């Protein structure tokens, strides 16, 4: 199954994202391809405000475990994490 993980940063902790970025990227790289799409979300000025993933896993519990284990989450960066099933229908406009 695919899940969207929509993670919003706590705006009172702007230094946590750069401080834990290397650990976060290593964690993401360790998923073995389970992440299909990922990247930071930004405000209109280009400042990071959160992260979004499309994550392939067995169930919601596995998606939640991935989100909880993220070094960003471990450091307390995220103020909100929403997880929703995702039905991938269109790729490259098709």
């Amino acid at each position: 199954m695919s899940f969207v993980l929509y993670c919003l940063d706590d705006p009172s902790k702007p230094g946590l994202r750069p401080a834990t970025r290397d650990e976060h990227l290593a964690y993401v790289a360790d998923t073995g391809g389970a992440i299909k799409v990922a990247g930071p979300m930004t405000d209109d000025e280009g400042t990071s405000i959160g992260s979004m993933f499309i994550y392939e896993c067995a169930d919601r519990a596995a998606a939640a475990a991935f989100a909880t284990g993220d070094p960003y989450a471990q450091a307390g960066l995220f103020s909100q994490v929403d997880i929703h099933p995702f039905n991938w229908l269109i790729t490259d406009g098709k």
Side-chain angles (χ1 to χ4, degrees), residues 41-50:
M41 297 181 294
T42 66
D43 62 16
D44 291 338
E45 288 75 41
T47 302
S48 293
I49 60 166

Side-chain angles (χ1 to χ4, degrees), residues 1-4 53-56 84-90:
M1 277 182 92
S2 294
F3 291 86
V4 171
F53 303 88
I54 296 178
Y55 184 66
E56 187 76 24
H84 300 280
F86 179 73
N87 187 13
W88 197 314
L89 295 177
I90 298 173

Side-chain angles (χ1 to χ4, degrees), residues 7-10 13-28 38-41 48-53 66-81:
C7 311
L8 291 178
D9 291 0
D10 181 337
K13 300 176 181 178
L16 280 180
R17 182 172 283 272
T20 54
R21 185 173 189 271
D22 290 344
E23 295 90 289
H24 164 76
L25 292 176
Y27 180 75
V28 168
M41 297 181 294
S48 293
I49 60 166
S51 298
M52 192 281 300
F53 303 88
F66 169 77
T68 301
D70 188 326
Y72 282 165
Q74 294 287 310
L77 175 62
F78 298 139
S79 64
Q80 176 182 334
V81 176

